[in-house]
Amino acid sequence: MHRKQLDADTYRTAERLLRHHRRNLVLGAGITPRWLEDGGRFWYTVRTAEGTRFVLVDPEAGTREAAFDHQRLAAALEAASGRPVDAAALPFSAISPGTGAVEFDAFGEHWRCRLDDYTCERSQAAAPGNPLESPSPDGKHAVYRAGYDLRVRSLDDTGDRALTDDGTEDRDWASNPDYLMYSTLLGKLGLPHLPPAVAWSPDGSRLLTHRTDQRGVRRGHLLRAAPADGGEPELVTQRAAVAGDERIPLAELAVCDVASGTVTLAKAEPVGMSLMSPLFQKWAWWAQDGSAVHYLSRTRDGRTLRLHRLDPDTGEVRTLVTETGPTRVEPAQQQLQPPNVRVLADGTRVLWYSQRDGWGHLYLYDAAGGTPLAQVTSGQWGVQEILHVDEERGTVHFLASGMVADHPHRRSLCRAALDGSGVVRLTDDDLDHQVTAAPDGAYFVDAASTTGTPPRTTVRDRTGAVVVELERADITRLEATGWRPPEPFRTRSADGTTDIHGLLYLPHGFDPAHRYPVVDTPYGLPTAYRVSPSFDPGFYGYEAEALAALGFVVVAVDGRGAPGRDKAFHDASYGNLQDACGLTDHVAALRELAASRPWMDLDRVGVTGMSSGGYAAVRAMLRHPDLFRVGVAESGMHDFRLLEPGLAETYHGPHDETDHAVLSNAEEAEALAGRLLLVHGGLDDRVPPQVTLRLAERLIVLGKDFELLLVPDAEHLYFGYEHHVTRRKWDFLVKHLLDAEPPAGHRLPPVPVDMESLAGLFG
């Protein structure tokens, strides 16, 4: 029977909903405050129907106004530079507002534009920063890596000298583990490595760093099969420990004095860092007055977390707080969140995050004896993020989830007394609040939304009162694509004991009289939750919206094992990582949803995911072949025995106590019955391609049919190849689930480089 062919417009619409395009369909959102040195005011940029606009805000005065006349400045800059300037797309992204003037960098030069007569003149200013350097807060020095060592130079070009001289290949200064430090993605961006892992003291006189000890760490190999110069294939070798290895990368903390050149090593055991530098992860920081360094360390099994104080003068280290538990002990609910730990200014008390009572709460500790003084927060909800600690007022502002009925991940702005005498919820509504605090904690920029409610961004004071409204998002362009907000749902877990929450995306042009194929989009690790509570759908949510545009019912589920709720819910994944954060709950959710929605065709169910989501996609097909008939797995973590130790050992259990073989999809490959597309980058240094290739080899030995797309020069995120991978994935799902033919000859255009998003990937 001849299959219908999708119109190319269907793919074009889906493409518009991908991350790099969708943000342009939502105006008046994504506000990032840039606080000025006076501490009270800030500026931000916003996309409007007239183009990007710069806005200046004075919360104390309750004012919001254009930072300048965009048309007049564009004309003045064009006249002064001799270059065309579009007022809707000014050639700069940052400004320095001053008294009666604004400064910025454009066309490789620094400019100052007076706002009385709009005269723009070239101006002297510090040279643009080097992305491979870290400048001091006093503006006098910058530190950088040279070979295996650190050097410091004066920003007035009066000196350049070595800070360290004993670095070696296996024991070098201020580096991250190889997959992050010397990543293939950085190479494509023209960068040899990341900036140094350092943190300057508040006065700029000293810096915290570490010597990275990778002696004896296992070396892994990748093959650059298609060098850009057309030469012979090249072997790419990097150090990459895996679960069970004795040696992992270690950080030997040290403090460097810029003036004297002395290096003071911490008199303590090095800190393990299978993931990244403790400085990049914000697990090490200076005290506010520069008198001490504080850092977190965790045992390799993840069950003991400690807070330490490092004396920068002597290197002496004292442990302030220790917590041990039967499973992982974490300083925040998600892996990449900054820790919810603060050492108060006098150094005698610590605000400590713990899930010891079954929920994530804050405790006040005596730093001298490591004993708790008070439980600051309590209740059947969890602290998500500390925003600001006000010691003078004895309060802490924070975000908490679990206070909005039926929406466990929506966040509320709250304030608590440090003595444990009470918590006040400052945003008493059912919205999700994404909040940024002013440096002094006097004001909070709050974007309030839900998955179906566009964000309204305001500035609130310490009491939660709105002092000025900034933006109300306009989604007219988004709705014009046929987009509709996802439907939040609640089902029961596979064992009938727990509420499971998720989102249901309906296909464009939805007709309840039709039956539609279904695609599940899981995330398989307990390091982050999958279901976004806000209007921003998150990394995986963009793809869900695009798949809905192609004609699929798309499901996002947070099964048992995902973070962000209570401790028991999160710990369902401990020792059970093979269930990929509740795949059994995904199955139960799909069946419960379809029972009241006959337009969901459970005879045509697919699953797709990337990284741990790729692992989950294959695992779903192997464990539940009667339901999941089609799957696409990108950069899949198909065998945790071959990945960084922190994944299997922390989130499943220690290597000598638990069976890590159950975390290998290859071990269960015999169960494959549906249609599967495996995708991997040949230069993926985050999840090496051998993980997918070993699964492929096992499938071949077993006589299983599948498809394999190996992108030779691609890394984990397929930078430069996203368009090809996305199109191949869509084609596969359209053919085997929609029973249709993809648009003939249609190709997605390459994804434009987004340096801001890429910067976020590297901390």
Side-chain angles (χ1 to χ4, degrees):
M1 184 177 67
H2 181 69
R3 298 193 296 187
K4 69 175 182 179
Q5 186 172 67
L6 287 189
D7 188 276
D9 284 343
T10 304
Y11 269 38
R12 294 189 187 103
T13 298
E15 182 198 352
R16 293 185 68 198
L17 294 170
L18 293 176
R19 179 169 56 97
H20 58 288
H21 286 313
R22 184 193 186 272
R23 62 187 180 187
N24 296 320
L25 301 178
V26 179
L27 305 179
I31 306 306
T32 301
R34 311 293 185 184
W35 297 92
L36 301 178
E37 291 184 3
D38 58 26
R41 300 180 304 149
F42 66 89
W43 62 269
Y44 66 89
T45 59
V46 60
R47 286 186 296 274
T48 73
E50 294 75 35
T52 299
R53 291 292 181 263
F54 290 78
V55 181
L56 187 62
V57 180
D58 186 337
E60 186 173 354
T63 61
R64 169 204 179 276
E65 58 188 8
F68 47 80
D69 185 316
H70 290 64
Q71 291 289 346
R72 292 187 68 185
L73 188 142
L77 181 58
E78 182 171 305
S81 67
R83 306 274 292 270
V85 178
D86 182 356
L90 293 168
F92 51 88
S93 59
I95 58 174
S96 298
T99 303
V102 63
E103 297 187 34
F104 50 86
D105 293 315
F107 308 129
E109 297 179 287
H110 190 75
W111 298 85
R112 186 175 189 274
C113 187
R114 296 198 305 269
L115 300 184
D116 53 356
D117 60 1
Y118 278 84
T119 299
C120 287
E121 300 173 331
R122 293 172 176 83
S123 175
Q124 294 296 320
N130 185 330
L132 299 180
E133 294 183 340
S134 175
S136 62
D138 60 6
K140 294 180 179 180
H141 299 94
V143 66
Y144 64 98
R145 279 172 45 92
Y148 305 124
D149 285 294
L150 280 175
R151 295 186 66 87
V152 63
R153 71 179 184 88
S154 301
L155 290 178
D156 61 5
D157 294 326
T158 59
D160 189 319
R161 54 190 169 80
L163 277 179
T164 68
D165 60 7
D166 59 351
T168 65
E169 179 184 4
D170 286 337
R171 212 174 179 198
D172 57 341
W173 284 94
S175 67
N176 273 271
D178 284 3
Y179 88 88
L180 187 64
M181 189 69 185
Y182 308 106
S183 76
T184 50
L185 176 55
L186 284 175
K188 291 182 179 182
L189 297 175
L191 299 174
H193 52 74
L194 283 178
V198 299
W200 285 94
S201 62
D203 65 0
S205 66
R206 297 188 282 194
L207 59 89
L208 171 67
T209 185
H210 55 74
R211 185 165 50 187
T212 303
D213 185 356
Q214 298 191 83
R215 292 174 294 180
V217 174
R218 177 193 301 262
R219 291 179 181 269
H221 308 284
L222 301 171
L223 183 67
R224 181 172 286 110
D229 62 5
E232 291 295 318
E234 302 169 0
L235 190 66
V236 179
T237 299
Q238 293 185 332
R239 289 158 295 200
V242 302
D245 279 359
E246 179 181 354
R247 294 288 301 171
I248 65 172
L250 301 171
E252 301 174 312
L253 293 173
V255 174
C256 299
D257 187 288
V258 174
S260 66
T262 58
V263 177
T264 303
L265 288 167
K267 297 176 181 178
E269 290 296 315
V271 177
M273 55 171 188
S274 64
L275 181 65
M276 66 178 70
S277 162
L279 291 162
F280 270 52
Q281 203 169 0
K282 297 181 173 58
W283 277 35
W285 63 94
W286 283 92
Q288 295 177 32
D289 62 1
S291 63
V293 164
H294 297 104
Y295 68 94
L296 294 167
S297 70
R298 189 165 60 180
T299 52
R300 187 157 164 178
D301 63 9
R303 295 173 181 170
T304 298
L305 182 69
R306 294 185 175 93
L307 172 66
H308 310 276
R309 180 189 187 278
L310 164 63
D311 187 321
D313 295 320
T314 66
E316 296 292 339
V317 174
R318 180 164 56 91
T319 300
L320 304 182
V321 180
T322 299
E323 181 172 345
T324 299
T327 63
R328 56 195 169 230
V329 178
E330 300 173 285
Q333 293 215 15
Q334 298 185 68
Q335 183 187 57
L336 295 182
Q337 281 182 298
N340 286 320
V341 176
R342 299 290 187 276
V343 179
L344 303 192
D346 60 9
T348 65
R349 295 175 299 165
V350 174
L351 195 58
W352 181 259
Y353 171 87
S354 173
Q355 293 176 295
R356 71 188 59 178
D357 71 351
W359 295 85
H361 283 297
L362 299 177
Y363 297 77
L364 192 66
Y365 269 75
D366 171 25
T371 56
L373 300 173
Q375 182 166 352
V376 177
T377 66
S378 62
Q380 293 189 356
W381 47 269
V383 172
Q384 289 294 326
E385 180 184 355
I386 293 176
L387 297 171
H388 185 76
V389 179
D390 190 328
E391 296 182 51
E392 182 179 343
R393 291 175 172 80
T395 60
V396 55
H397 283 79
F398 59 92
L399 291 178
S401 64
M403 293 184 172
V404 178
D406 296 330
H407 296 282
H409 291 308
R410 288 187 186 172
R411 294 157 290 187
S412 301
L413 175 62
C414 302
R415 184 186 68 235
L418 292 176
D419 62 7
S421 60
V423 173
V424 179
R425 185 180 173 200
L426 302 178
T427 50
D428 191 14
D429 54 39
D430 62 357
L431 304 177
D432 176 68
H433 294 267
Q434 294 177 279
V435 180
T436 302
D440 63 358
Y443 298 100
F444 300 89
V445 177
D446 172 25
S449 70
T450 69
T451 52
T453 307
R456 173 187 177 229
T457 307
T458 61
V459 180
R460 297 177 182 269
D461 64 15
R462 290 186 177 95
T463 71
V466 174
V467 296
V468 59
E469 180 173 305
L470 303 182
E471 304 289 342
R472 289 178 183 254
D474 177 358
I475 62 170
T476 305
R477 296 178 180 181
L478 179 64
E479 292 175 321
T481 68
W483 173 93
R484 59 192 299 171
E487 171 194 339
F489 66 78
R490 181 179 62 181
T491 57
R492 296 296 283 176
S493 59
D495 63 3
T497 64
T498 309
D499 283 345
I500 300 299
H501 294 261
L503 294 173
L504 192 66
Y505 300 79
L506 299 186
H508 286 209
F510 173 70
D511 181 350
H514 292 171
R515 284 174 62 79
Y516 296 93
V518 180
V519 177
D520 191 3
T521 56
Y523 185 75
L525 275 176
T527 56
Y529 48 78
R530 164 67 185 85
V531 179
S532 170
S534 70
F535 192 80
D536 183 345
F539 185 88
Y540 290 93
Y542 294 109
E543 177 173 75
E545 292 184 344
L547 291 174
L550 294 179
F552 300 103
V553 172
V554 185
V555 177
V557 178
D558 274 324
R560 286 168 296 169
R565 293 176 58 174
D566 60 276
K567 175 68 168 168
F569 191 92
H570 195 193
D571 272 355
S573 57
Y574 194 79
N576 189 36
L577 200 56
Q578 65 269 23
D579 192 37
C581 283
L583 282 178
T584 54
D585 295 337
H586 286 236
V587 173
L590 286 168
R591 297 196 186 284
E592 184 176 336
L593 290 168
S596 58
R597 297 167 176 82
W599 36 265
M600 291 177 62
D601 187 352
L602 293 195
D603 289 329
R604 293 186 291 163
V605 178
V607 57
T608 182
M610 180 180 186
S611 198
S612 74
Y615 165 74
V618 172
R619 179 124 307 210
M621 296 187 70
L622 300 178
R623 289 285 177 95
H624 308 282
D626 58 324
L627 180 63
F628 296 101
R629 310 294 176 85
V630 178
V632 180
E634 301 175 53
S635 309
M637 295 179 166
H638 299 299
D639 193 335
F640 284 87
R641 297 172 298 181
L642 305 176
L643 302 176
E644 64 177 75
L647 296 174
E649 295 177 9
T650 301
Y651 292 99
H652 183 71
H655 190 68
D656 57 351
E657 296 182 20
T658 52
D659 180 11
H660 288 172
V662 300
L663 306 181
S664 168
N665 282 333
E667 297 289 339
E668 302 190 19
E670 178 67 55
L672 182 68
R675 295 182 179 274
L676 173 63
L677 170 62
L678 299 173
V679 186
H680 218 108
L683 289 178
D684 188 342
D685 45 11
R686 187 71 182 89
V687 178
Q690 62 161 315
V691 177
T692 287
L693 294 178
R694 288 192 181 198
L695 172 60
E697 174 66 18
R698 182 63 180 158
L699 291 170
I700 291 170
V701 169
L702 293 170
K704 301 290 183 177
D705 291 330
F706 67 99
E707 293 186 29
L708 173 65
L709 171 60
L710 187 66
V711 187
D713 199 39
E715 34 62 54
H716 193 58
L717 299 177
Y718 307 104
F719 177 72
Y721 302 95
E722 303 101 321
H723 59 298
H724 180 76
V725 172
T726 297
R727 196 261 305 170
R728 290 288 302 273
K729 171 173 54 184
W730 290 357
D731 287 356
F732 191 83
L733 295 173
V734 164
K735 287 179 181 178
H736 300 301
L737 279 180
L738 274 181
D739 194 29
E741 288 295 326
H746 183 74
R747 297 293 183 267
L748 301 182
V751 176
V753 176
D754 179 2
M755 296 303 295
E756 183 176 346
S757 296
L758 288 172
L761 296 173
F762 297 108

